[in-house]
Coordinates of all heavy atoms in Angstrom, one line a residue:
M1 N -32.3 114.4 56.0 CA -31.6 115.7 56.0 C -32.3 116.7 56.9 O -33.5 116.7 57.0 CB -31.5 116.2 54.6 CG -30.5 115.5 53.7 SD -30.0 116.3 52.2 CE -31.5 117.1 51.6
K2 N -31.5 117.5 57.5 CA -32.0 118.6 58.3 C -32.6 119.7 57.4 O -32.0 120.0 56.4 CB -31.0 119.2 59.2 CG -30.5 118.2 60.3 CD -29.5 118.9 61.2 CE -29.0 118.0 62.2 NZ -28.0 118.6 63.1
A3 N -33.7 120.3 57.9 CA -34.3 121.4 57.1 C -33.6 122.7 57.4 O -33.1 122.9 58.5 CB -35.8 121.5 57.4
D4 N -33.6 123.6 56.4 CA -33.1 124.9 56.5 C -31.6 125.1 56.9 O -31.3 126.1 57.5 CB -34.0 125.7 57.5 CG -35.4 125.8 57.0 OD1 -35.7 125.8 55.8 OD2 -36.3 125.7 57.9
I5 N -30.8 124.1 56.6 CA -29.3 124.3 56.9 C -28.5 124.4 55.6 O -27.3 124.7 55.7 CB -28.8 123.2 57.7 CG1 -28.8 121.8 57.0 CG2 -29.5 123.1 59.1 CD1 -28.0 120.7 57.7
H6 N -29.1 124.2 54.4 CA -28.4 124.2 53.2 C -28.4 125.6 52.5 O -29.4 126.3 52.6 CB -28.9 123.1 52.2 CG -28.9 121.8 52.8 ND1 -27.7 121.1 52.9 CD2 -29.9 121.0 53.3 CE1 -28.0 119.9 53.5 NE2 -29.3 119.8 53.7
P7 N -27.3 126.0 51.9 CA -27.3 127.3 51.2 C -28.2 127.3 50.0 O -28.5 126.3 49.5 CB -25.8 127.5 50.8 CG -25.2 126.1 50.8 CD -26.0 125.3 51.8
D8 N -28.6 128.5 49.7 CA -29.5 128.7 48.5 C -28.7 128.3 47.2 O -27.6 128.7 47.0 CB -29.9 130.2 48.4 CG -30.8 130.4 47.3 OD1 -31.6 129.5 46.9 OD2 -30.7 131.5 46.7
Y9 N -29.3 127.5 46.4 CA -28.7 127.0 45.1 C -29.5 127.6 44.0 O -30.6 127.3 43.8 CB -28.7 125.5 45.2 CG -27.9 124.8 44.1 CD1 -26.6 124.9 44.0 CD2 -28.5 123.9 43.2 CE1 -25.8 124.3 43.1 CE2 -27.8 123.3 42.2 CZ -26.4 123.4 42.2 OH -25.7 122.8 41.2
H10 N -28.8 128.5 43.2 CA -29.6 129.3 42.2 C -28.7 129.4 41.0 O -27.6 129.0 40.9 CB -29.9 130.6 42.8 CG -28.7 131.3 43.5 ND1 -28.4 131.1 44.8 CD2 -27.7 132.0 43.0 CE1 -27.3 131.7 45.1 NE2 -26.8 132.3 44.0
D11 N -29.3 130.0 39.9 CA -28.6 130.3 38.7 C -27.8 131.6 38.7 O -28.3 132.6 39.2 CB -29.6 130.4 37.5 CG -30.3 129.1 37.2 OD1 -29.7 128.0 37.5 OD2 -31.4 129.1 36.6
I12 N -26.6 131.5 38.2 CA -25.7 132.7 38.1 C -25.1 132.7 36.6 O -25.1 131.6 36.0 CB -24.6 132.8 39.1 CG1 -23.6 131.7 39.0 CG2 -25.1 132.9 40.5 CD1 -22.3 131.9 39.7
T13 N -24.6 133.8 36.2 CA -24.0 133.9 34.9 C -22.5 134.0 35.0 O -22.0 134.8 35.8 CB -24.5 135.1 34.1 OG1 -25.9 134.9 34.0 CG2 -23.9 135.1 32.7
I14 N -21.7 133.2 34.3 CA -20.3 133.2 34.4 C -19.8 133.9 33.1 O -20.2 133.5 32.0 CB -19.6 131.8 34.4 CG1 -20.2 131.0 35.6 CG2 -18.1 131.9 34.4 CD1 -19.7 131.5 36.9
V15 N -18.9 134.9 33.2 CA -18.4 135.6 32.0 C -16.9 135.3 31.9 O -16.1 135.6 32.8 CB -18.6 137.1 32.0 CG1 -18.0 137.8 30.8 CG2 -20.1 137.4 32.2
M16 N -16.5 134.6 30.9 CA -15.1 134.2 30.7 C -14.2 135.4 30.3 O -14.8 136.5 30.0 CB -15.0 133.1 29.7 CG -15.8 131.9 29.9 SD -15.3 130.9 31.3 CE -14.3 129.8 30.4
T17 N -12.9 135.3 30.2 CA -12.0 136.4 29.9 C -12.2 136.8 28.4 O -12.0 138.0 28.1 CB -10.6 136.0 30.1 OG1 -10.3 134.8 29.4 CG2 -10.2 135.8 31.5
D18 N -12.7 135.9 27.6 CA -12.9 136.3 26.1 C -14.3 136.9 25.9 O -14.6 137.2 24.8 CB -12.5 135.2 25.2 CG -13.5 134.0 25.4 OD1 -14.3 134.0 26.3 OD2 -13.5 133.1 24.6
G19 N -15.1 137.0 26.9 CA -16.4 137.5 26.8 C -17.6 136.5 26.7 O -18.7 136.9 26.7
T20 N -17.2 135.2 26.5 CA -18.3 134.2 26.4 C -19.0 134.1 27.7 O -18.3 134.2 28.8 CB -17.7 132.9 25.9 OG1 -16.7 132.4 26.8 CG2 -17.2 133.0 24.5
E21 N -20.2 133.7 27.7 CA -21.0 133.6 28.9 C -21.7 132.3 29.0 O -22.0 131.7 27.9 CB -22.1 134.7 29.0 CG -21.7 136.1 28.8 CD -22.8 137.1 29.0 OE1 -24.0 136.6 29.0 OE2 -22.6 138.3 29.1
Y22 N -22.0 131.8 30.2 CA -22.8 130.6 30.3 C -23.5 130.7 31.7 O -23.0 131.4 32.6 CB -22.1 129.3 30.1 CG -21.0 129.0 31.2 CD1 -21.3 128.2 32.3 CD2 -19.7 129.5 31.0 CE1 -20.4 127.9 33.2 CE2 -18.8 129.2 31.9 CZ -19.1 128.4 33.0 OH -18.1 128.1 34.0
V23 N -24.6 130.1 31.8 CA -25.4 130.1 33.0 C -25.2 128.7 33.7 O -25.2 127.7 33.1 CB -26.9 130.3 32.7 CG1 -27.7 130.2 34.0 CG2 -27.1 131.6 32.0
T24 N -25.0 128.8 35.0 CA -24.8 127.6 35.8 C -25.4 127.7 37.2 O -25.8 128.9 37.5 CB -23.3 127.2 36.0 OG1 -23.1 126.0 36.6 CG2 -22.5 128.3 36.8
K25 N -25.5 126.7 37.9 CA -26.0 126.8 39.3 C -24.9 126.9 40.3 O -23.8 126.3 40.1 CB -26.9 125.5 39.6 CG -28.1 125.5 38.8 CD -29.2 124.6 39.5 CE -30.5 124.6 38.7 NZ -31.3 125.8 39.0
S26 N -25.1 127.7 41.3 CA -24.1 127.9 42.3 C -24.7 128.4 43.6 O -25.8 128.8 43.7 CB -23.1 129.0 41.8 OG -22.1 129.3 42.8
T27 N -23.9 128.3 44.7 CA -24.3 128.9 46.0 C -23.6 130.3 46.1 O -23.9 131.0 47.1 CB -23.8 128.0 47.2 OG1 -22.4 127.9 47.1 CG2 -24.5 126.7 47.1
W28 N -22.8 130.7 45.2 CA -22.2 132.1 45.2 C -23.2 133.1 44.9 O -24.0 133.0 44.0 CB -21.0 132.1 44.2 CG -20.3 133.4 44.1 CD1 -19.3 133.8 44.8 CD2 -20.6 134.5 43.1 NE1 -18.9 135.1 44.5 CE2 -19.7 135.5 43.4 CE3 -21.5 134.6 42.1 CZ2 -19.7 136.7 42.7 CZ3 -21.5 135.8 41.4 CH2 -20.6 136.8 41.7
G29 N -23.1 134.3 45.6 CA -23.9 135.4 45.3 C -25.4 135.1 45.5 O -25.8 134.3 46.3
S30 N -26.2 135.8 44.6 CA -27.7 135.6 44.7 C -28.2 135.3 43.3 O -27.4 135.5 42.3 CB -28.3 136.8 45.3 OG -28.0 138.0 44.6
E31 N -29.4 135.0 43.1 CA -30.0 134.7 41.9 C -29.8 135.8 40.8 O -30.0 137.0 41.1 CB -31.6 134.5 42.0 CG -32.3 134.2 40.8 CD -32.2 132.7 40.4 OE1 -32.0 131.9 41.2 OE2 -32.2 132.5 39.1
G32 N -29.2 135.4 39.7 CA -29.0 136.3 38.6 C -27.7 137.1 38.6 O -27.5 137.9 37.7
D33 N -26.9 136.9 39.6 CA -25.6 137.6 39.7 C -24.7 137.2 38.6 O -24.8 136.1 38.0 CB -24.9 137.4 41.0 CG -25.4 138.2 42.2 OD1 -26.3 139.1 41.9 OD2 -25.0 138.0 43.3
V34 N -23.7 138.1 38.2 CA -22.7 137.8 37.2 C -21.4 137.7 37.8 O -20.9 138.6 38.5 CB -22.8 138.9 36.1 CG1 -21.7 138.7 35.0 CG2 -24.2 139.0 35.5
M35 N -20.6 136.6 37.5 CA -19.3 136.4 38.0 C -18.4 136.6 36.8 O -18.4 135.9 35.8 CB -19.1 135.0 38.6 CG -17.7 134.7 39.0 SD -17.4 133.1 39.6 CE -18.3 133.0 41.1
R36 N -17.5 137.6 36.9 CA -16.5 137.9 35.8 C -15.2 137.3 36.2 O -14.6 137.6 37.2 CB -16.4 139.4 35.5 CG -17.7 140.0 35.1 CD -17.6 141.4 34.7 NE -18.9 142.0 34.4 CZ -19.5 141.8 33.3 NH1 -19.1 141.1 32.4 NH2 -20.7 142.4 33.1
L37 N -14.6 136.4 35.4 CA -13.4 135.8 35.7 C -12.2 136.5 35.1 O -12.2 137.1 34.1 CB -13.4 134.4 35.0 CG -14.5 133.4 35.5 CD1 -14.4 132.1 34.8 CD2 -14.5 133.2 37.0
D38 N -11.1 136.6 35.9 CA -9.8 137.2 35.5 C -9.0 136.2 34.8 O -8.2 136.5 33.9 CB -9.1 137.8 36.7 CG -9.8 139.0 37.3 OD1 -10.6 139.7 36.6 OD2 -9.7 139.2 38.6
I39 N -9.0 135.0 35.3 CA -8.2 133.9 34.8 C -9.1 132.7 34.6 O -9.9 132.4 35.5 CB -7.0 133.5 35.7 CG1 -6.1 134.7 35.8 CG2 -6.3 132.3 35.2 CD1 -4.9 134.5 36.7
D40 N -9.1 132.0 33.5 CA -9.9 130.9 33.2 C -9.1 129.9 32.4 O -8.0 130.2 32.0 CB -11.2 131.3 32.6 CG -11.1 131.9 31.2 OD1 -10.0 131.9 30.6 OD2 -12.0 132.5 30.7
P41 N -9.7 128.7 32.1 CA -8.9 127.7 31.3 C -8.5 128.2 29.9 O -7.5 127.7 29.4 CB -9.9 126.6 31.2 CG -10.8 126.7 32.3 CD -10.9 128.2 32.6
K42 N -9.1 129.2 29.4 CA -8.7 129.8 28.1 C -7.5 130.7 28.2 O -6.8 130.9 27.2 CB -9.8 130.5 27.4 CG -11.0 129.6 27.1 CD -12.1 130.4 26.5 CE -13.3 129.4 26.2 NZ -14.4 130.1 25.6
S43 N -7.2 131.2 29.4 CA -6.1 132.1 29.5 C -5.0 131.7 30.5 O -4.0 132.3 30.7 CB -6.6 133.5 29.9 OG -7.2 133.5 31.2
H44 N -5.3 130.6 31.3 CA -4.3 130.2 32.4 C -3.2 129.4 31.8 O -3.4 128.5 30.9 CB -5.1 129.4 33.4 CG -4.3 129.2 34.6 ND1 -3.3 128.2 34.8 CD2 -4.3 129.8 35.8 CE1 -2.8 128.3 36.0 NE2 -3.4 129.3 36.6
P45 N -1.9 129.7 32.2 CA -0.8 129.0 31.6 C -0.8 127.5 31.8 O -0.2 126.8 31.0 CB 0.4 129.6 32.3 CG -0.1 130.9 33.0 CD -1.6 130.7 33.1
A46 N -1.4 127.0 32.8 CA -1.5 125.6 33.0 C -2.2 124.8 31.9 O -1.9 123.7 31.6 CB -2.2 125.2 34.4
W47 N -3.1 125.5 31.3 CA -3.9 124.9 30.1 C -3.4 125.3 28.8 O -3.4 124.6 27.8 CB -5.4 125.2 30.3 CG -6.0 124.4 31.3 CD1 -6.4 123.1 31.3 CD2 -6.4 124.9 32.6 NE1 -7.0 122.8 32.5 CE2 -7.0 123.9 33.3 CE3 -6.2 126.1 33.3 CZ2 -7.4 124.0 34.6 CZ3 -6.7 126.3 34.6 CH2 -7.3 125.2 35.2
T48 N -2.9 126.6 28.7 CA -2.5 127.1 27.4 C -1.0 126.8 27.1 O -0.6 126.8 25.9 CB -2.7 128.6 27.3 OG1 -1.9 129.3 28.3 CG2 -4.1 129.0 27.5
G49 N -0.2 126.7 28.1 CA 1.3 126.5 27.9 C 2.0 127.8 27.6 O 3.2 127.8 27.4
V50 N 1.3 128.9 27.6 CA 1.9 130.2 27.4 C 2.0 131.0 28.7 O 1.1 131.1 29.4 CB 1.0 131.1 26.4 CG1 1.6 132.4 26.2 CG2 0.9 130.3 25.1
R51 N 3.2 131.5 29.0 CA 3.4 132.2 30.2 C 3.1 133.7 30.0 O 3.5 134.3 29.1 CB 4.8 132.1 30.7 CG 5.1 130.6 31.1 CD 6.4 130.5 31.8 NE 6.5 131.3 33.0 CZ 6.4 130.8 34.2 NH1 6.2 129.6 34.4 NH2 6.4 131.6 35.2
R52 N 2.3 134.3 31.0 CA 2.0 135.7 31.0 C 2.5 136.3 32.3 O 2.4 135.7 33.3 CB 0.5 135.9 31.0 CG -0.1 135.8 29.7 CD -1.6 136.3 29.7 NE -2.1 136.5 31.0 CZ -3.4 136.7 31.2 NH1 -4.2 136.8 30.2 NH2 -3.9 136.9 32.4
V53 N 3.0 137.5 32.2 CA 3.5 138.2 33.5 C 2.3 139.1 33.9 O 2.0 140.0 33.2 CB 4.7 139.0 33.2 CG1 5.1 139.8 34.4 CG2 5.9 138.1 32.7
L54 N 1.8 138.8 35.1 CA 0.6 139.6 35.5 C 1.1 140.8 36.3 O 0.5 141.9 36.3 CB -0.3 138.8 36.4 CG -0.9 137.6 35.8 CD1 -1.8 136.8 36.8 CD2 -1.8 138.0 34.6
D55 N 2.3 140.7 37.0 CA 2.8 141.9 37.7 C 4.1 142.3 37.0 O 5.0 141.6 36.8 CB 3.1 141.4 39.1 CG 3.6 142.6 40.0 OD1 3.3 143.7 39.7 OD2 4.3 142.4 41.0
Q56 N 4.1 143.6 36.6 CA 5.2 144.1 35.8 C 6.4 144.6 36.6 O 6.9 145.6 36.4 CB 4.7 145.2 34.9 CG 3.6 144.8 33.9 CD 4.1 143.8 32.9 OE1 5.3 143.9 32.5 NE2 3.3 142.9 32.5
G57 N 6.8 143.8 37.6 CA 8.1 144.1 38.3 C 7.8 145.0 39.6 O 8.8 145.3 40.3
G58 N 6.6 145.3 39.9 CA 6.4 146.2 41.0 C 6.7 145.5 42.4 O 7.1 146.2 43.3
R59 N 6.5 144.2 42.4 CA 6.8 143.5 43.7 C 8.3 143.5 44.1 O 8.6 143.7 45.2 CB 6.3 142.0 43.6 CG 4.8 141.9 43.3 CD 3.9 142.4 44.4 NE 4.1 141.6 45.5 CZ 3.6 141.9 46.7 NH1 2.9 143.0 46.9 NH2 3.8 141.1 47.8
V60 N 9.2 143.4 43.1 CA 10.6 143.4 43.4 C 11.0 144.8 43.9 O 11.7 144.9 44.8 CB 11.4 142.9 42.2 CG1 12.9 143.1 42.4 CG2 11.1 141.5 41.8
A61 N 10.5 145.8 43.2 CA 10.8 147.2 43.6 C 10.3 147.5 45.0 O 11.0 148.1 45.8 CB 10.3 148.1 42.6
Q62 N 9.1 147.0 45.3 CA 8.5 147.2 46.6 C 9.4 146.5 47.7 O 9.6 147.1 48.7 CB 7.1 146.7 46.6 CG 6.4 146.9 47.9 CD 5.0 146.3 47.9 OE1 4.6 145.6 47.0 NE2 4.2 146.5 49.0
F63 N 9.8 145.3 47.4 CA 10.7 144.6 48.4 C 12.0 145.3 48.6 O 12.4 145.5 49.7 CB 11.0 143.2 47.8 CG 11.9 142.3 48.7 CD1 11.4 141.6 49.8 CD2 13.2 142.3 48.4 CE1 12.2 140.9 50.6 CE2 14.1 141.6 49.2 CZ 13.6 140.9 50.3
N64 N 12.6 145.7 47.5 CA 13.9 146.4 47.7 C 13.7 147.7 48.4 O 14.6 148.1 49.2 CB 14.5 146.7 46.3 CG 15.0 145.4 45.6 OD1 15.4 144.5 46.3 ND2 15.1 145.4 44.3
K65 N 12.7 148.5 48.2 CA 12.4 149.7 48.9 C 12.2 149.4 50.4 O 12.7 150.1 51.3 CB 11.2 150.4 48.3 CG 10.8 151.7 49.0 CD 9.6 152.3 48.4 CE 9.1 153.5 49.1 NZ 7.8 154.0 48.6
R66 N 11.4 148.4 50.7 CA 11.1 148.1 52.1 C 12.3 147.6 52.9 O 12.5 148.0 54.1 CB 10.0 147.0 52.2 CG 9.7 146.6 53.6 CD 8.6 145.5 53.7 NE 7.3 146.1 53.3 CZ 6.2 145.4 53.1 NH1 6.3 144.1 53.2 NH2 5.1 146.0 52.8
F67 N 13.2 146.8 52.3 CA 14.3 146.2 53.1 C 15.7 146.8 52.7 O 16.7 146.2 53.0 CB 14.3 144.7 52.8 CG 13.0 144.1 53.4 CD1 12.1 143.6 52.5 CD2 12.8 144.0 54.7 CE1 10.9 143.0 53.0 CE2 11.7 143.4 55.3 CZ 10.7 142.9 54.4
A68 N 15.7 148.0 52.1 CA 16.9 148.6 51.6 C 17.8 149.0 52.8 O 19.1 148.9 52.7 CB 16.7 149.9 50.8
G69 N 17.3 149.3 54.0 CA 18.1 149.8 55.1 C 18.5 148.6 56.0 O 19.2 148.8 57.0
L70 N 18.3 147.4 55.6 CA 18.7 146.2 56.5 C 20.0 145.6 56.1 O 20.3 144.5 56.6 CB 17.6 145.2 56.4 CG 16.2 145.6 57.0 CD1 15.2 144.4 56.9 CD2 16.3 146.0 58.5
G71 N 20.8 146.3 55.3 CA 22.1 145.7 54.8 C 23.0 145.6 56.0 O 22.9 146.3 57.0
L72 N 24.1 144.8 55.8 CA 25.1 144.7 56.8 C 26.0 146.0 56.9 O 26.4 146.5 55.9 CB 26.0 143.5 56.5 CG 25.3 142.2 56.6 CD1 26.3 141.1 56.1 CD2 24.8 141.9 58.0
K73 N 26.2 146.4 58.1 CA 27.1 147.6 58.3 C 28.5 147.2 58.4 O 28.9 146.2 59.1 CB 26.6 148.4 59.5 CG 25.2 148.9 59.4 CD 24.8 149.7 60.6 CE 23.4 150.1 60.4 NZ 22.9 150.8 61.6
S74 N 29.5 147.9 57.7 CA 30.9 147.6 57.8 C 31.6 148.3 58.9 O 31.3 149.3 59.4 CB 31.6 147.9 56.6 OG 30.9 148.2 55.5

């Protein structure tokens, strides 16, 4: 293997959505950094089977506002 081409592999702390933590090795961040997850296997619909709405309708309103003037003229 070539020397000095691999990223630093160190310990980081992962904090799940329910507050549980665990230490793992990663190339993300630097030694001792904390990664807080927004979605994890305990809250993601693919694993739980429960659907959550993350955006409360703002995207549809934004779309309608942006393209309101593009209607067909009679």
Side-chain angles (χ1 to χ4, degrees):
M1 287 194 321
K2 293 183 181 179
D4 300 327
I5 64 166
H6 301 288
D8 181 35
Y9 192 61
H10 48 270
D11 290 336
I12 64 167
T13 303
I14 305 291
V15 179
M16 306 288 268
T17 55
D18 65 350
T20 58
E21 308 180 348
Y22 66 94
V23 177
T24 187
K25 293 205 175 276
S26 176
T27 58
W28 178 85
S30 57
E31 180 77 28
D33 279 353
V34 177
M35 179 185 288
R36 298 186 186 283
L37 301 179
D38 294 330
I39 297 177
D40 61 13
K42 295 179 181 179
S43 65
H44 194 278
W47 287 281
T48 62
V50 177
R51 296 190 57 103
R52 280 189 348 187
V53 177
L54 297 178
D55 184 23
Q56 298 294 326
R59 301 295 295 172
V60 173
Q62 181 182 7
F63 177 86
N64 289 336
K65 179 181 174 187
R66 179 181 285 171
F67 297 108
L70 294 179
L72 295 175
K73 295 180 183 177
S74 348

